């Protein structure tokens, strides 16, 4: 990384190989508190999303397009929180808080890839609900396994394209005056603050592409749920309406949380200058939302709750069977009252 510095009126070139992630300010007690918060959020995120992936994979009744997309959503939440949290946790008690130039670029690339893919996937999930509720007769054909796979791959391709553009244009800049990033992970806005060149193109790309993605996906979601709402109101079955509202309500909650925080961070002018606010917002979409998504979809979804119960009962039965086999092999049996 080339960083030009002015010394005594002359331009000299200094090469830096590392960035420093400043993270959150505060003494040892404050850092310990942040560490405990981050660790708790990350552990719940990992356990919750792994549980969703395992349950959907093992329960044949959940092998439908909706749960296929939900499993991919859990995978994305697990991955993109893992891109950020482990390094952030290490930096709370490791004073240098250093990340290499290549490590910073890699973290930005994968974070941008996974977060953008999740945005597209939320739009795909809304389209899936639209087809299932508004066109149930065509749903099995339209949302066949190959179509679902292509939609997920398309989401990843869109995420990869945005990630390549953002990472390439960000790290083509020269960074001067400081290598200290005012954030707890490598992201575009805090990196642009360190750039010594003109960042107008980068800001236009950030706000333009992110704004286009947010607005485009939001329109797909709003139109889908507009048709869904009309269809629900026409239903004669109150139980059917409640079930549909429960399923769609979970998705709309996840969409509102994700796009609300992302819009504040990336799609409004002035976001680059307010990095203290940006750190707090970043905690929400990197840790809090990935932690909440499994809870939102499991607590409001009877199918997932029943699948969790079946999986628990199955494992308990397996444990009892293993225990009995171990007892028989050991030749031990409990004494009856008549033998005492």
């Amino acid at each position: 990384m080339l960083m030009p510095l002015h010394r005594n009126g002359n331009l000299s070139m200094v090469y830096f190989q590392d960035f420093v992630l400043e993270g959150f300010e505060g003494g040892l007690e404050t850092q310990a508190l942040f560490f405990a918060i981050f660790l708790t959020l990350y552990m719940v995120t990992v356990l919750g999303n792994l549980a969703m992936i395992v349950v959907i994979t093992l329960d044949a009744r959940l092998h439908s397009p909706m749960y296929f997309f939900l499993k991919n959503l859990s995978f994305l939440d697990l991955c993109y929180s893992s891109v950020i949290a482990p390094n952030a946790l290490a930096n709370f008690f490791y004073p240098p808080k250093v990340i290499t130039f290549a490590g910073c670029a890699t973290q930005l690339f994968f974070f941008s890839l996974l977060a953008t893919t999740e945005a597209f996937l939320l739009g795909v999930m809304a389209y899936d609900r639209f087809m299932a509720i508004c066109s149930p007769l065509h749903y099995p054909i339209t949302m066949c396994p190959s179509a679902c796979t292509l939609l997920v791959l398309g989401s990843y391709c869109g995420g990869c394209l945005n990630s390549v553009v953002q990472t390439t244009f960000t790290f083509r800049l020269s960074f001067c005056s400081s290598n200290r990033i005012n954030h707890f992970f490598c992201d575009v806005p805090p990196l642009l603050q360190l750039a010594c060149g003109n960042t107008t193109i980068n800001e236009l790309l950030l706000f333009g592409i992110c704004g286009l993605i947010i607005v485009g996906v939001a329109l797909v979601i709003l139109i889908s749920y507009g048709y869904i709402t009309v269809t629900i109101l026409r239903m004669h079955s109150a139980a059917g309406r409640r079930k549909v509202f429960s399923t769609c309500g979970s998705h709309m909650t996840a969409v509102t949380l994700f796009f609300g925080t992302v819009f504040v961070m990336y799609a409004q002018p002035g976001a680059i200058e307010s990095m203290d606010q940006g750190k707090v917002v970043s905690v929400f979409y990197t840790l809090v939302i990935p932690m909440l998504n499994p809870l939102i979809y499991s607590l409001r979804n009877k199918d997932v709750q029943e699948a969790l119960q079946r999986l628990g009962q199955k494992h308990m039965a397996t444990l009892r069977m293993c225990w009995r086999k171990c007892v028989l092999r050991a030749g031990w049996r409990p004494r009856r009252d008549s033998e005492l």
Side-chain angles (χ1 to χ4, degrees), residues 195-216:
C196 52
N198 189 347
T199 62
T200 303
I201 294 177
N202 298 77
E203 292 180 28
L204 288 174
L205 283 172
L206 177 65
F207 300 138
I209 295 177
C210 291
L212 183 64
I213 291 171
I214 292 171
V215 172

Side-chain angles (χ1 to χ4, degrees), residues 275-315:
M275 285 317 305
D276 290 333
Q277 174 191 348
K279 291 180 193 178
V280 178
V281 175
S282 297
V283 172
F284 274 88
Y285 67 78
T286 57
L287 288 171
V288 176
I289 293 175
M291 177 198 70
L292 289 177
N293 278 343
L295 299 176
I296 291 170
Y297 283 103
S298 61
L299 292 177
R300 301 192 58 170
N301 192 308
K302 288 185 178 180
D303 292 336
V304 175
Q305 292 175 6
E306 291 172 358
L308 285 168
Q309 291 174 0
R310 286 193 296 269
L311 187 62
Q313 291 169 359
K314 182 179 178 181
H315 280 282

